[in-house]
């Protein structure tokens, strides 16, 4: 039975404007309906907060925050929020309605995407996130369910319900909301309860790219906690480990975006998008189409052609025309029903056609003879060869023009040069003035300028991270030394040489110093000292005192240190020594029980922790007429009661 038939909201008009139609989806926080804006006569998506959450002011505030976050964005790849309102107990958002499906539906139906297709989807996602990051917002819930693929080819990012203003996001708020996002895509710093920023969205987008390329998430576990633990403690594997044949540049792009260290990732979605474009431009057609990666399971289906992000030529993305990404662009090519032009009209007399045929035949013979002579001239005679024009040190444009003027085709390649300016010709093959077949190809090697790499910023990295950062930038690891530091944690980089940002030649050595932690100091013996004296003594050597306990002592005066931990050896500066301080003897106050019945007096004294010795006269009433002591005594002392 259709659940929408039992939904009391279906058919209602919210706020006198929005008619609620069929249910589209239901999540943990809200239900989405297809609705109609009666005022503007347009379809909308109505996102209605669950009834039990509508009574929770915090949930309502978070729900309204989604409207405010999305309303700050005006971007073609962001689902627009039109309105927010409350109708009695019903809290709702009116949003742009997208006719289509989610990226999750696509992945569920097709498994891996070709790199070209995955790049096309990710470009739209990063463009939307880039707009959010530029506005100071962090999405915090990037996942396939929130990427909508419209039937008309548009790609939209939805659900800014977890979005926060990045400058105002506190550690506590991040910790409180960290598992509101799907754990398969959550950044490690969010699991640790740290502040979420634009790099957290970059991590989630990197996981999204990994899943599009491989058909599955990188981490799996028995429960959400296990998966979250892997995000914190395990590096995302390269996609080629799952799909052999994927280009190394694609692996590097995914691994940089999903680094466990936020500082290693692109700074925001816009920076990630630039790297995506750079990688797309460097890959071959086969690498983009996944020919070596075994991703061509749908190659025989009808196709659509979609422009590839970051390219400025006629290369296209090939997608199934009836597949889940259908509608992203129009088909191109000839109409199969189009008749060719230039056919001779029917009905011409046969004799005229015959005379015309003789004339045409004669002309064809003359042309053939001329072509034969010309072919010999060009193919084997003096016109078949020419020489390579000298273009060394010319600009690219000038060199190409000169080569083309000589009847040759330039083929451009690039290389670094320490002597030739960027954009100028280093060499040609064949070399200048060499004999070359006319209409042949000349390979032109253009200078990319001097090969230089910026020294990476290593401070705060571990040794392994520093080594990886250096070699990644085509530099060599120099001397690795250690030094004590009161401020830099053990094992992290304190300093480097050359400094970060220095322009270096390939293979230049970069040295760095690792922290050994605080310099160790000898722990002094402070037992027998007063707490004030012990604190002063420890502070003089850079240690601090922490009173972890107090004990009664018959031998150590009150306020004097009984014991310490550690009692000797060495500790790093800033460490703490635990102290146990004497409370002095354990005293109790003996009350005056003279005149009390002996049984009552005995019970009272025993209850405060003293022993009772009774001395009875051979006669009497059984009452205490004298006692040996009153006032403070050590616990466990004996009090003698005299009874008559």
């Amino acid at each position: 039975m259709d659940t929408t038939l039992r939904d009391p909201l279906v058919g209602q008009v919210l706020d006198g404007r929005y008619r609620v139609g069929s249910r589209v989806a239901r999540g943990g926080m809200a239900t989405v309906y297809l609705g109609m804006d009666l005022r503007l006569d347009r379809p909308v998506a109505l996102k209605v907060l669950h009834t039990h959450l509508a009574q929770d002011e915090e949930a309502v505030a978070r729900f309204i925050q989604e409207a405010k976050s999305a309303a700050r964005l005006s971007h073609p790849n962001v689902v627009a929020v039109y309105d927010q309102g409350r109708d009695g107990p019903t809290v709702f958002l009116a949003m742009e309605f997208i006719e289509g499906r989610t990226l999750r539906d696509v992945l569920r139906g097709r498994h891996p995407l070709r790199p070209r297709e995955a790049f096309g989807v990710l470009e739209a996602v990063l463009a939307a996130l880039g707009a959010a990051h530029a506005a100071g917002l962090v999405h915090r819930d990037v996942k396939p369910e929130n990427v909508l693929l419209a039937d008309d080819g548009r790609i939209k990012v939805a659900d800014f319900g977890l979005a926060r203003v990045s400058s105002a996001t506190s550690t506590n708020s991040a910790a409180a909301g960290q598992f509101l996002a799907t754990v398969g895509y959550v950044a490690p710093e969010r699991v640790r309860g740290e502040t979420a920023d634009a790099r957290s969205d970059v991590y989630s987008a990197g996981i999204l790219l990994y899943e599009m390329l491989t058909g599955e998430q990188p981490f799996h576990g028995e429960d959400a906690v296990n998966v979250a633990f892997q995000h914190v403690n395990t590096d995302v594997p390269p996609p080629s480990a799952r799909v052999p044949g994927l280009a190394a540049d694609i692996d590097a792009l995914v691994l940089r975006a999903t680094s466990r260290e936020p500082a290693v990732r692109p700074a925001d979605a816009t920076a990630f998008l630039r790297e995506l474009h750079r990688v797309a431009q460097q890959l071959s057609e086969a690498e983009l189409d996944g020919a070596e990666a075994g991703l061509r399971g749908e190659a025989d289906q009808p196709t659509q052609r979609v422009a590839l992000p970051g390219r400025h030529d006629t290369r296209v993305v090939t997608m199934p025309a009836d597949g889940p990404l259908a509608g992203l662009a129009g088909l191109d090519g000839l109409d199969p029903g189009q008749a060719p032009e230039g056919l001779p009209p029917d009905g011409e007399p046969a004799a005229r056609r015959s005379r015309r045929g003789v004339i045409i035949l004669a002309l064809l013979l003359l042309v053939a003879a001329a072509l034969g002579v010309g072919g010999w001239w060009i193919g084997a005679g003096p016109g078949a060869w020419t020489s390579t024009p000298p273009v060394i040190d010319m600009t690219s444009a000038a060199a190409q023009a000169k080569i083309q003027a000589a009847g040759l085709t330039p083929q451009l390649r690039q290389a670094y040069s320490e002597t030739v300016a960027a954009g100028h010709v280093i060499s040609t093959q064949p070399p200048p003035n060499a004999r070359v077949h006319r209409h042949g190809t000349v390979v032109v090697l253009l200078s990319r300028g001097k090969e230089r790499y910026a020294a990476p910023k290593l401070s705060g990295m571990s040794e392994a991270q520093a080594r990886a950062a250096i070699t990644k930038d085509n530099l060599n690891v120099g001397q690795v030394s250690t030094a004590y530091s009161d401020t830099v944690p053990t094992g992290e980089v304190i300093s480097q040489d050359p400094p970060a940002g220095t322009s270096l030649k390939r293979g230049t050595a970069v040295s760095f110093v690792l922290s050994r932690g605080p310099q160790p100091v000898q722990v002094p013996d402070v037992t027998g000292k007063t707490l004030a004296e012990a604190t002063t003594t420890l502070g003089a050597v850079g240690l601090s005192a922490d009173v972890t306990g107090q004990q009664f002592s018959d031998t150590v005066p009150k306020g004097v240190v009984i014991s310490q931990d550690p009692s000797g050896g060495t500790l790093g500066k800033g460490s703490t020594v635990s102290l146990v301080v004497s409370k002095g003897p354990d005293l109790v106050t003996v009350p005056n029980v003279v005149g009390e019945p002996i049984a009552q007096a005995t019970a009272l004294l025993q209850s405060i922790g003293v022993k009772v010795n009774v001395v009875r006269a051979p006669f009497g009433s059984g009452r205490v007429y004298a006692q040996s002591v009153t006032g403070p005594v050590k616990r466990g002392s004996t009090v003698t009661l005299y009874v008559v």
Side-chain angles (χ1 to χ4, degrees):
M1 180 178 178
D2 189 349
T3 57
T4 61
L5 297 178
R6 296 183 281 114
D7 193 322
L9 274 181
V10 174
Q12 289 192 24
V13 177
L14 299 179
D15 203 20
R17 178 174 180 177
Y18 302 105
R19 184 182 301 280
V20 182
S22 59
R23 181 190 299 172
V24 176
R26 180 179 176 86
M29 189 173 182
T31 301
V32 180
Y33 300 87
L34 172 59
M36 176 60 68
D37 184 343
L38 301 179
R39 187 178 303 168
L40 299 179
D41 192 26
R42 65 177 176 182
V44 294
L46 295 173
K47 188 171 185 179
V48 180
L49 189 64
H50 292 330
T51 303
H52 67 283
L53 293 177
Q55 311 302 318
D56 183 342
E57 290 304 319
E58 182 179 351
V60 172
R62 188 164 63 244
F63 192 69
I64 294 174
Q65 176 65 35
E66 174 179 1
K68 293 181 178 179
S69 298
R72 293 176 59 181
L73 304 177
S74 178
H75 192 276
N77 296 115
V78 175
V79 174
V81 173
Y82 298 142
D83 193 9
Q84 181 274 323
R86 184 192 292 263
D87 189 333
T90 303
V91 180
F92 68 92
L93 302 180
M95 306 182 299
E96 178 183 9
F97 178 71
I98 305 299
E99 186 73 35
R101 65 183 67 194
T102 69
L103 179 57
R104 172 63 68 209
D105 298 326
V106 172
L107 295 176
R108 188 180 297 117
R110 290 189 65 211
H111 305 298
L113 303 182
R114 297 178 180 89
R116 191 189 298 271
E117 297 169 334
F119 281 16
V121 174
L122 187 65
E123 180 192 38
V125 172
L126 294 179
L129 293 176
H133 296 165
L137 296 174
V138 182
H139 188 285
R140 293 160 50 98
D141 197 16
V142 178
K143 58 185 178 182
E145 288 80 357
N146 287 334
V147 179
L148 308 183
L149 308 177
D151 289 341
D152 60 7
R154 293 173 299 154
I155 300 177
K156 299 268 189 174
V157 176
D159 198 356
F160 278 76
L162 291 180
R164 293 288 186 274
V165 178
S166 58
S167 61
T169 304
S170 68
T171 301
N172 290 337
S173 66
Q178 66 186 28
F179 283 103
L180 291 175
T182 304
V183 72
Y185 308 87
V186 68
E189 62 269 20
R190 296 190 58 204
V191 178
R192 294 192 295 263
E194 299 170 4
T195 299
D197 60 18
R199 297 170 298 180
S200 304
D201 283 348
V202 167
Y203 181 91
S204 301
I207 299 292
L208 189 71
L209 177 57
Y210 179 96
E211 185 172 5
M212 286 192 288
L213 293 169
T214 67
E216 64 178 29
Q217 298 173 16
F219 300 131
H220 304 277
E222 297 178 355
D223 51 39
V225 174
N226 181 271
V227 174
F229 182 82
Q230 293 179 68
H231 280 289
V232 174
N233 296 283
T234 305
D235 291 329
V236 171
S240 62
R242 172 68 180 170
V243 182
L246 284 176
D249 284 346
I250 296 178
D251 281 346
L253 181 69
V254 172
L255 297 183
R256 175 162 155 74
T258 59
S259 170
R260 286 185 287 156
E261 294 297 329
V264 178
R265 303 173 206 150
D268 56 24
T270 300
F272 190 4
L273 182 57
R274 286 196 296 267
E275 295 195 15
L276 176 72
H277 286 171
R278 177 181 56 79
V279 171
Q281 291 169 343
Q282 292 176 347
L283 296 179
S284 68
E285 295 299 301
E287 290 171 327
L288 285 167
D289 287 327
E292 300 177 0
L295 298 179
R296 305 191 63 84
E298 301 182 27
D300 298 331
Q301 298 188 20
T303 62
Q304 291 182 324
R305 298 160 63 93
V306 182
L308 178 68
R311 290 193 181 263
H312 303 287
D313 51 24
T314 58
R315 300 176 185 177
V316 294
V317 179
T318 303
M319 299 182 179
D322 58 351
L325 295 180
L328 287 177
L331 294 171
D332 56 7
L334 291 175
D335 181 351
Q338 180 179 350
E341 299 178 354
L343 292 177
D346 294 333
E348 186 176 6
R352 183 177 299 174
R353 290 200 302 269
S354 176
R355 287 194 300 273
R356 178 177 295 178
V358 172
I359 295 171
I360 291 174
L361 177 60
L363 291 174
L364 289 175
L365 291 174
L366 290 174
V367 171
L371 290 175
V373 174
W376 170 83
W377 175 268
I378 295 174
W385 297 91
T386 185
S387 60
T388 308
V391 294
I392 303 300
D393 210 32
M394 283 188 177
T395 64
S396 173
Q400 291 183 72
K402 191 169 183 177
I403 291 171
Q404 289 168 347
L408 302 171
T409 301
Q411 185 180 88
L412 303 182
R413 295 182 181 173
Q414 290 187 321
Y416 291 104
S417 173
E418 291 293 314
T419 57
V420 179
H424 289 239
V425 177
I426 301 173
S427 64
T428 61
Q429 184 59 38
N433 302 314
R435 190 166 180 262
V436 61
H437 200 285
R438 189 177 295 277
H439 306 305
T441 298
V442 177
V443 177
V444 180
L445 189 62
L446 293 174
S447 172
R448 298 177 63 181
K450 296 180 179 181
E451 185 178 15
R452 295 293 184 269
Y453 300 92
K457 182 179 181 181
L458 306 179
S459 65
M461 290 186 179
S462 66
E463 181 177 1
Q465 291 169 338
R467 288 180 177 273
I470 292 170
T471 56
K472 176 179 177 293
D473 287 343
N474 299 303
L475 303 171
N476 291 339
V477 177
Q479 181 179 0
V480 179
S481 56
T482 60
Y484 293 112
S485 173
D486 294 338
T487 57
V488 179
T490 302
E492 292 185 4
V493 175
I494 301 173
S495 61
Q496 67 182 83
D497 182 35
T502 304
S503 182
L504 304 173
K505 290 184 179 181
R506 172 189 285 268
T508 300
V510 178
S511 302
F512 56 90
V513 179
L514 292 171
S515 172
R516 298 176 61 182
Q519 184 174 2
V521 295
Q522 190 69 35
V523 178
D525 182 4
V526 294
T527 57
K529 296 180 180 291
T530 65
L531 178 58
E533 293 170 342
T535 301
T536 300
T537 300
L538 293 172
V541 296
L543 302 175
S544 59
D546 180 26
V547 178
T548 57
Q550 292 182 315
Q551 295 179 3
F552 290 107
S553 174
D554 293 337
T555 59
V556 180
K558 182 178 181 181
V560 173
V561 176
I562 299 175
S563 62
Q564 66 181 73
D565 184 26
S567 58
T570 60
L571 287 176
K573 280 187 178 181
S575 299
T576 300
V577 177
S578 299
L579 305 178
V580 176
V581 179
S582 173
K583 295 168 65 176
D586 188 4
L587 301 178
V588 296
T589 301
V590 178
N592 188 345
V593 295
V594 173
E596 298 292 336
I598 184 58
Q600 181 175 335
T602 300
L604 176 60
L605 295 179
Q606 289 175 341
S607 69
I608 65 173
V610 298
K611 300 175 182 178
V612 178
N613 177 40
V614 179
V615 177
R616 296 178 180 272
F619 57 89
S621 62
R623 290 181 178 272
V624 177
Y625 76 93
Q627 62 188 83
S628 61
V629 63
T630 59
V633 298
K634 292 182 181 179
R635 187 182 300 276
S637 299
T638 299
V639 178
T640 301
L641 299 181
Y642 298 92
V643 181
V644 295

